[in-house]
Amino acid sequence: MNTPPDVFFLPADGEQRLCLFHAPAGEPRSRVLYLHPFAEEMNKSRRTAALACRALAEAGHAVLQIDLRGCGDSSADFGDASWTDWQADVRLGLHALDERAPNDAPLWLWGLRAGCLLVTADWGRPVNYLFWQPMTSGKLALQQFLRLKVAAEMAAGASKGLMEQMKSELAAGRSIEIAGYRLGPSLASGLEAAKLNPAGAPGRVEWLELSTREDALLTPASEQAIKGWQDTGWTVRPQVVQGPSFWATAEIELAPALIARTVEALA
């Protein structure tokens, strides 16, 4: 029987961050902090992420979800958030997880897509990483987001020079509107500079990617990134799991095989 998560607001410099804590039945086998993806991808993946959190809690893991500044039900507007704000929110989430699961169980930072770029840092303690469809470059992540507006304008027949125009607006310190989101220059520059590079003491990395093909392989970019982690002493276990790109589908879709493989990986 599923136990509802503990829903609470975490104080953050006069603001609040929505958190959901999924507690296991007994002492945690591990402690997990989940960081959601960028913009609309967060909304598209909420259902799959929630099901994965429940499955992990049932398997004995303590899991905390946090809505970053300007996202979901947390304070502020998306356009007012910065990459530095989000890094500070990761630390808030770690502190909240420490308070609710105060034991020596292994710590996992779990990111989806651009969320993986946010969690890779030296946190001053041993950590392991769970990557779902990780983006290896923040520059590429920003480029893909900007292309949403280019694609929309192409449908209206007016996209010439739009990419350069948006980059110029951001470089001049002005916000731009994309797919219903106001993107500020601080968030854009922080995302663009982010890279999926190893930091801190080496630990474990569970690297899970999705494909609708049974014979799918890792992309060359993923293979290169994985080698960089392995060369610095990290134990990386990459896997390609069959399932849809649920963070980008028109309708809400689930990835049960990914959830099952995630539970197995952390076991």
Side-chain angles (χ1 to χ4, degrees):
M1 180 177 179
N2 289 328
T3 301
D6 176 21
V7 182
F8 62 96
F9 283 98
L10 193 63
D13 293 329
E15 298 180 347
Q16 294 179 322
R17 305 288 181 264
L18 178 71
C19 295
L20 287 81
F21 179 63
H22 304 258
E27 286 294 310
R29 299 173 61 179
S30 76
R31 299 172 301 141
V32 185
L33 176 63
Y34 169 69
L35 277 303
H36 58 73
F38 193 77
E40 189 61 21
E41 290 188 1
M42 172 190 180
N43 295 324
K44 291 294 183 69
S45 25
R46 270 197 185 277
R47 180 61 177 161
T48 292
L51 291 174
C53 289
R54 293 175 192 172
L56 286 169
E58 288 179 358
H61 307 275
V63 187
L64 182 75
Q65 298 175 262
I66 181 171
D67 284 1
L68 301 171
R69 185 172 192 253
C71 301
D73 291 311
S74 287
S75 298
D77 182 79
F78 185 87
D80 296 326
S82 69
W83 194 253
T84 302
D85 291 337
W86 285 2
Q87 290 175 320
D89 286 349
V90 177
R91 297 189 183 279
L92 281 175
L94 287 171
H95 181 67
L97 188 58
D98 286 340
E99 289 186 333
R100 284 160 178 78
N103 69 359
D104 296 327
L107 175 62
W108 289 83
L109 294 181
W110 164 26
L112 170 58
R113 299 275 288 160
C116 300
L117 295 166
L118 193 62
V119 301
T120 50
D122 186 352
W123 301 105
R125 62 168 104 179
V127 298
N128 303 304
Y129 292 112
L130 169 61
F131 292 154
W132 274 13
Q133 201 71 28
M135 304 197 78
T136 58
S137 165
K139 184 175 182 179
L140 177 60
L142 178 63
Q143 193 84 353
Q144 289 183 0
F145 188 60
L146 296 179
R147 283 175 184 160
L148 294 177
K149 186 160 186 174
V150 174
E153 294 295 328
M154 282 181 64
S159 66
K160 188 175 181 180
L162 181 58
M163 181 67 76
E164 291 71 22
Q165 180 184 338
M166 288 189 292
K167 290 181 178 179
S168 296
E169 289 291 306
L170 291 170
R174 292 187 287 268
S175 298
I176 57 177
E177 294 283 342
I178 301 176
Y181 289 85
R182 182 168 61 89
L183 176 64
S186 295
L187 182 54
S189 61
L191 173 61
E192 186 174 31
K195 294 182 179 179
L196 194 71
N197 291 335
R204 287 175 55 194
V205 178
E206 295 291 339
W207 187 298
L208 303 178
E209 297 191 6
L210 277 168
S211 176
T212 54
R213 293 175 47 189
E214 293 185 4
D215 60 344
L217 301 174
L218 294 169
T219 65
S222 293
E223 290 180 343
Q224 183 178 1
I226 289 169
K227 185 178 185 303
W229 284 75
Q230 292 172 332
D231 288 347
T232 55
W234 290 79
T235 301
V236 185
R237 185 168 64 161
Q239 301 180 68
V240 179
V241 184
Q242 194 168 13
S245 302
F246 57 88
W247 57 88
T249 52
E251 302 294 331
I252 299 299
E253 294 198 39
L254 304 178
L258 176 63
I259 295 173
R261 197 67 60 85
T262 296
V263 173
E264 292 172 6
L266 266 62

